[in-house]
Amino acid sequence: MYVICVYDVYAKRCLKVMNILRKYLFHVQESVFEGELTPKQCTDLNKELNDIIKDDDEVIMYYKQLNRMVNGKKKSFNKNILI
């Protein structure tokens, strides 16, 4: 599923929250992350965040199930790409 996450946390915890989110999502802007996650990754991410955030913090996640449809011949891409 596609996830957009925004947060507003106390400055002491901001770096910790950002580092957790970077493990799962792409950093888009200031306190905004987005990316594609499996249900297991969503569960793991929420557990890690809940261990850090307090009552005065706010982390909001928007979930959207993306469906992909391909018309025509399916192309295969070489997965052995060296960076």
Side-chain angles (χ1 to χ4, degrees):
M1 70 185 75
Y2 186 76
V3 177
I4 297 172
C5 179
V6 295
Y7 64 92
D8 182 18
V9 298
Y10 187 66
K12 272 206 265 187
R13 292 181 288 278
C14 189
L15 188 58
K16 290 179 183 180
V17 169
M18 185 184 299
N19 286 334
I20 289 171
L21 289 170
R22 280 185 175 151
K23 291 193 297 186
Y24 295 92
L25 301 168
F26 297 103
H27 195 188
V28 177
Q29 168 182 31
E30 292 293 325
S31 58
V32 180
F33 286 78
E34 65 180 16
E36 188 77 22
L37 297 178
T38 65
K40 168 98 170 80
Q41 288 171 319
C42 285
T43 302
D44 293 345
L45 173 57
N46 284 317
K47 282 181 186 175
E48 286 189 54
L49 289 173
N50 285 328
D51 289 343
I52 292 175
I53 61 173
K54 306 293 183 205
D55 289 339
D56 57 342
D57 296 331
E58 187 172 34
V59 177
I60 302 169
M61 291 195 187
Y62 299 94
Y63 298 97
K64 174 77 174 160
Q65 188 68 37
L66 295 178
N67 297 316
R68 184 173 181 227
M69 183 173 72
V70 178
N71 291 313
K73 184 179 178 184
K74 186 175 182 180
K75 296 182 180 181
S76 62
F77 295 98
N78 186 355
K79 294 182 181 178
N80 297 324
I81 298 173
L82 299 176
I83 298 174

